[in-house]
Amino acid sequence: MYFRMAVLILGIFCVGTAELSPSGMLGELSRDLSVTIPTAGLLVTVYALTVVVGGPIVTAVTTRIRRKYLLVLLLLVSVLGNILCALAPTFELLLVGRMVTAVIQGTFMAVCVVTAGNMAAEDKQGSAVAGTQLGVNLATVLGVPFGTLVAQQINWRATFGSVAVLALIACVLILIAIPEDGKATPRTSVRHEVRASTKWQVIGTVLATVLCSGGMFTLITYMVPLLTDVGGFPAAWVPAVLLAYGVGSIVGNFIGGRCANRSVEAAVLWLSWALAAVCVLYWVAAPSAVASAVFLVLFSVSTFALIPGLQVRILSTAADAPTLSLTVNMAAFALGAALGSWAGGQVIALGFGIRSITLAAAAFSALGAVLIAQVVSAARHRNRSKTSRDDEHALRTETQEATGIGAPR
């Protein structure tokens, strides 16, 4: 089980590093391809939009492929995209390579989550899903710095090439380690997946994911200016704080997985409110350098503690056909990221100041928490109603059997 999880984490690490690495080498990209920094930034924006649009489509057309081979196929597409990026002579072709890489991300992540959840015991699904999220954490903490270092010491093409080679290794390991048959690889139809993804419990959770992700990225996008411009934190120490932020994400991921193991509904409800509360308290702490750094780490812990619960809730709500629902939820994270980044920029542009983005992040997170509360309440009401009907039916059956009324003769 542990080796299988490590293989899935490696695959996610490759995909996550491919997604995030351009942000650490925009300078090298802009100089080599003769474009401006904002133009180079489109490599990040277009990637996110491709994930939002392409993920559900790729999932819909691949529902008949067994998950083990689907993981390999998707990762091979990512390899192709990274090779295109490494060889691209122009910015336009580099953008095409990024789109090829991005189009598989939502489906790949979703299939990894489903596979991990199915390989785990029922009371360990939260930890299993959190384990897949560790791949993203490691991409942030290790992948991006490594990609930046390679770009500085060799060139940015070597970064994309390195990711492609590592992804090929992951393909081989998936073929070796991931089971081919059994409950980890059932087949479903497009109609079945769509039906599962249109339940209100799924839709409500996806909308809450957009709002909570919006809150996360309203602050994440501007966390360095919060530290330096508002808190007066020394710029030389920012990398150390960002490393602590990465460690906080791993700690939060572990906490979120354990909480989801116990009760996924309680986890998403209370952790969403905790995220909103941390953002509000961050506004209070922001003018202090030390307190700002501390709350940035607490924000990281609360952010990554919430993510596994949102994923597990989708996995459990759409248990019979979860892949499309999870892919849509991955797209919801990307949409929330775009929404949050835009909202943070608007808050600053309107003259409220960088410090105020903490309150904007809190507002997004609180709206997500309110929606989660409504969805959880509706689920509990439905379960109570079902239990009451089942009890009533059982009592009626026992009465009929005892009196002979209505019993078969």
Side-chain angles (χ1 to χ4, degrees):
M1 176 63 185
Y2 291 110
F3 179 65
R4 292 172 180 174
M5 283 300 304
V7 170
L8 293 177
I9 290 170
L10 176 61
I12 294 172
F13 172 81
C14 294
V15 173
T17 301
E19 174 192 7
L20 300 171
S21 57
S23 61
M25 51 189 190
L26 289 181
E28 289 81 5
L29 286 165
S30 65
R31 286 193 298 271
D32 194 34
L33 297 174
S34 301
V35 296
T36 64
I37 291 289
T39 299
L42 289 174
L43 295 170
V44 178
T45 305
V46 171
Y47 191 103
L49 293 176
T50 305
V51 172
V52 172
V53 176
I57 296 173
V58 171
T59 298
V61 300
T62 57
T63 55
R64 292 289 183 179
I65 304 176
R66 291 190 178 276
R67 289 183 185 137
K68 172 178 181 174
Y69 301 109
L70 179 56
L71 287 172
V72 173
L73 175 62
L74 295 172
L75 209 49
L76 286 175
V77 174
S78 178
V79 169
L80 174 62
N82 280 297
I83 291 174
L84 285 175
C85 290
L87 300 177
T90 66
F91 179 78
E92 290 75 17
L93 285 176
L94 177 58
L95 207 57
V96 171
R98 292 287 291 166
M99 293 174 69
V100 171
T101 308
V103 76
I104 61 91
Q105 177 168 317
T107 306
F108 182 82
M109 296 283 288
V111 176
C112 283
V113 170
V114 175
T115 303
N118 285 337
M119 289 192 303
E122 189 172 346
D123 62 344
K124 299 294 183 182
Q125 278 195 339
S127 295
V129 173
T132 61
Q133 183 62 35
L134 181 61
V136 179
N137 299 144
L138 293 176
T140 304
V141 177
L142 301 177
V144 175
F146 172 76
T148 303
L149 179 64
V150 171
Q152 291 173 345
Q153 299 300 317
I154 306 175
N155 57 52
W156 58 267
R157 299 180 187 277
T159 298
F160 289 115
S162 300
V163 174
V165 171
L166 197 58
L168 277 174
I169 295 172
C171 287
V172 175
L173 293 176
I174 288 171
L175 288 172
I176 295 172
I178 303 303
E180 179 177 349
D181 297 310
K183 67 175 184 176
T185 56
R187 295 184 181 185
T188 59
S189 66
V190 176
R191 181 179 299 177
H192 196 42
E193 291 277 354
V194 170
R195 188 183 303 118
S197 66
T198 53
K199 297 176 182 177
W200 163 242
Q201 291 294 312
V202 174
I203 293 173
T205 304
V206 168
L207 292 175
T209 297
V210 173
L211 291 169
C212 291
S213 178
M216 297 171 190
F217 280 89
T218 299
L219 199 153
I220 288 172
T221 306
Y222 300 97
M223 59 184 179
V224 174
L226 262 175
L227 282 171
T228 57
D229 298 353
V230 178
F233 199 85
W237 284 91
V238 168
V241 177
L242 294 182
L243 178 61
Y245 176 92
V247 173
S249 72
I250 296 173
V251 172
N253 193 38
F254 175 78
I255 292 172
R258 295 294 295 270
C259 290
N261 284 342
R262 296 174 183 174
S263 171
V264 64
E265 292 183 342
V268 294
L269 182 58
W270 291 109
L271 289 173
S272 57
W273 282 116
L275 176 60
V278 167
C279 290
V280 171
L281 293 174
Y282 198 165
W283 181 85
V284 177
S288 166
V290 174
S292 181
V294 169
F295 269 89
L296 182 60
V297 175
L298 290 176
F299 170 77
S300 172
V301 172
S302 58
T303 293
F304 285 90
L306 176 59
I307 292 173
L310 292 170
Q311 300 288 56
V312 174
R313 190 160 205 291
I314 292 288
L315 185 61
S316 59
T317 304
D320 54 340
T323 308
L324 180 60
S325 299
L326 280 167
T327 304
V328 171
N329 207 44
M330 300 294 178
F333 277 111
L335 181 60
L339 177 63
S341 300
W342 174 83
Q346 291 302 301
V347 167
I348 296 171
L350 290 172
F352 292 104
I354 296 175
R355 184 184 178 188
S356 297
I357 66 171
T358 58
L359 298 180
F364 271 120
S365 303
L367 287 173
V370 169
L371 183 55
I372 288 170
Q374 195 281 327
V375 172
V376 168
S377 177
R380 288 174 177 171
H381 177 73
R382 188 187 69 252
N383 290 337
R384 282 195 298 267
S385 299
K386 183 178 183 299
T387 301
S388 178
R389 289 195 302 271
D390 291 345
D391 290 344
E392 183 180 341
H393 177 73
L395 180 60
R396 186 184 304 115
T397 302
E398 290 175 3
T399 302
Q400 289 173 346
E401 290 176 350
T403 62
I405 299 174
R409 296 179 180 178

